């Protein structure tokens, strides 16, 4: 049997919080329970917000948690050529197109539609689906933007991608904690069309989360992806990209989220739930585990 390989993939763009602690500890526990490995991936494609100091402090927090980390550590900022190669493969298949609408233009267009009583479709995260440049911009404006240095994103033509695959997809999902780790996975149908034409890269960044995560999971030999429930529906997009790129599909496990007092998932902007602030306030490991329900 293949040795299970788990991963924890934080971004050093702020301090780790209680939600990260739950994910890291669950992955480490699962790796031990299944006699597997536990790798760390540094998701630092945002070179402006991700800094060496924040990365150093992130590893200090992980050391305080006591999670055993296996080598090597993968840094996305060192992996840009692999993302470009994957993107070029999709472009050669005719599945990627440049999109010039700004967030403000998309918001204004959708708001006008909804003000007129139209129910504009939204993705599982609640964001409106991309309407297409031609729905908003004139042909002359499109030519002008394409010929200029205007910002753009590169989007996956989801309908064409699904037509090229030509068959129903699914992913393997099983439990994330305790005895459920040993349960047989069940097949979950892929519903990628609900996401519309997702972004794969931007003018100044050669990858997006969706593209990099499938490339990195394959590169690191990840067999089991154990991550938060907020990413459950995004697995549909990841399965489509894995199929198009000929990449293996891990078993997926989506764990519960640690919620704040307002009932929402935690954010790095909330300093009172950061591991550093809690540690400095004297929180012990036992108190932390109780706080996150372990």
């Amino acid at each position: 049997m293949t040795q299970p390989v788990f991963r924890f993939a934080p971004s050093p763009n702020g301090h780790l919080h209680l939600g990260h602690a739950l994910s890291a500890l669950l992955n480490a526990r699962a790796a031990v329970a299944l006699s597997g490995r536990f790798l760390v991936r540094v998701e630092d494609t945002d070179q402006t917000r991700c800094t060496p100091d924040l990365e150093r402090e992130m590893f200090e927090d992980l050391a305080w948690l006591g999670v055993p980390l296996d080598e090597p550590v993968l840094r996305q900022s060192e992996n840009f050529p692999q993302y470009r190669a994957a993107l070029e493969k999709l472009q050669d298949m005719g599945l990627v197109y440049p999109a010039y609408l700004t967030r403000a233009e998309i918001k204004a267009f959708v708001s006008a539609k909804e003000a007129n009583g139209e129910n504009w479709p939204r993705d599982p995260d609640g964001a409106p689906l991309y309407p297409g440049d031609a729905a908003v911009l004139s042909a002359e404006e499109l030519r002008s933007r394409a010929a200029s240095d205007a910002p753009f994103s590169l989007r996956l033509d989801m309908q064409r991608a699904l037509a090229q695959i030509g068959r129903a997809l699914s992913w393997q999902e099983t439990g994330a904690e305790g005895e459920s780790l040993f349960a047989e996975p069940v097949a979950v149908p892929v519903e990628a069309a609900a996401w519309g034409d997702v972004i794969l890269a931007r003018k100044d960044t050669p990858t997006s989360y969706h593209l990099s995560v499938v490339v990195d999971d394959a590169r690191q030999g990840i067999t089991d992806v154990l991550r938060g429930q907020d990413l459950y529906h995004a697995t549909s997009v990841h399965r489509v990209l894995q199929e198009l790129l000929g990449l293996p599909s891990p078993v997926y496990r989506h764990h519960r989220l640690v919620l704040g007092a307002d009932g929402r998932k935690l954010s790095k902007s909330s300093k009172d739930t950061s591991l550093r602030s809690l540690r400095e306030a004297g929180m012990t490991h036992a108190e932390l585990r109780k706080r996150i329900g372990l």
Side-chain angles (χ1 to χ4, degrees):
M1 294 180 62
T2 302
Q3 183 185 32
V5 182
F6 291 80
R7 49 80 163 170
F8 176 58
S11 296
N13 56 9
H15 291 136
L16 299 184
H17 54 57
L18 289 171
H20 295 112
L22 175 63
S23 194
L25 289 170
L26 285 177
N27 272 280
R29 286 185 174 195
V32 171
L34 298 176
S35 300
R37 301 177 65 212
F38 175 44
L39 302 177
V40 168
R41 174 187 309 157
V42 180
E43 297 194 341
D44 60 347
T45 56
D46 186 341
Q47 296 288 277
T48 300
R49 297 174 61 207
C50 298
T51 67
D53 284 344
L54 285 172
E55 180 180 322
R56 173 181 52 78
E57 291 169 352
M58 181 183 77
F59 279 104
E60 289 174 357
D61 289 339
L62 291 175
W64 178 71
L65 284 177
V67 292
L69 309 179
D70 292 315
E71 295 290 341
V73 172
L74 185 148
R75 288 176 177 79
Q76 289 185 334
S77 59
E78 300 169 354
N79 204 29
F80 284 168
Q82 283 76 18
Y83 307 139
R84 290 193 186 95
L87 183 62
E88 288 171 1
K89 182 174 182 179
L90 296 173
Q91 289 174 316
D92 291 343
M93 297 164 71
L95 301 178
V96 179
Y97 66 89
Y100 291 96
L101 290 182
T102 65
R103 290 186 179 91
E105 288 170 333
I106 298 170
K107 181 179 179 179
F109 174 82
V110 173
S111 295
K113 290 287 186 181
E114 293 178 335
N116 288 328
E118 183 173 339
N119 291 321
W120 191 261
R122 294 177 177 268
D123 68 26
D125 284 344
L129 298 194
Y130 195 69
D133 290 349
V136 181
L137 304 176
S138 67
E140 181 180 357
E141 177 62 19
L142 265 176
R143 285 193 295 270
S144 174
R145 294 193 187 188
S148 70
D149 197 34
F152 62 85
S153 59
L154 293 172
R155 290 181 177 265
L156 176 70
D157 188 324
M158 185 62 78
Q159 290 300 327
R160 183 174 292 183
L162 293 174
Q164 180 151 325
I165 292 171
R167 61 184 178 85
L169 297 177
S170 64
W171 79 79
Q172 298 296 306
E173 178 83 24
T174 191
E177 300 183 47
E179 293 300 321
S180 64
L181 285 174
F182 301 91
E184 285 296 318
V186 298
V188 178
V190 160
E191 297 178 350
W195 286 93
D197 295 350
V198 295
I199 293 175
L200 298 179
R202 298 184 186 276
K203 175 186 175 182
D204 53 354
T205 307
T207 188
S208 67
Y209 169 72
H210 293 308
L211 182 62
S212 61
V213 73
V214 297
V215 171
D216 291 342
D217 283 343
R219 187 182 181 199
Q220 287 189 294
I222 304 302
T223 63
D224 295 72
V225 172
L226 174 47
R227 59 190 181 185
Q229 190 69 28
D230 54 326
L231 292 170
Y232 179 88
H233 292 289
T235 312
S236 286
V237 177
H238 303 161
R239 281 294 295 118
V240 168
L241 292 175
Q242 288 162 352
E243 194 72 16
L244 293 170
L245 295 169
L247 301 176
S249 175
V251 171
Y252 288 90
R253 310 166 188 271
H254 290 89
H255 64 71
R256 58 189 168 81
L257 301 178
V258 179
L259 304 179
D262 58 359
R264 299 181 179 182
K265 71 175 185 177
L266 301 181
S267 168
K268 288 178 179 175
S269 62
S270 179
K271 305 299 184 183
D272 60 339
T273 61
S274 78
L275 299 188
R276 296 188 76 78
S277 63
L278 293 171
R279 183 167 75 250
E280 290 168 359
M283 176 176 278
T284 66
H285 282 162
E287 290 169 338
L288 179 139
R289 289 192 296 272
K290 183 178 180 180
R291 177 84 174 266
I292 60 178
L294 289 182

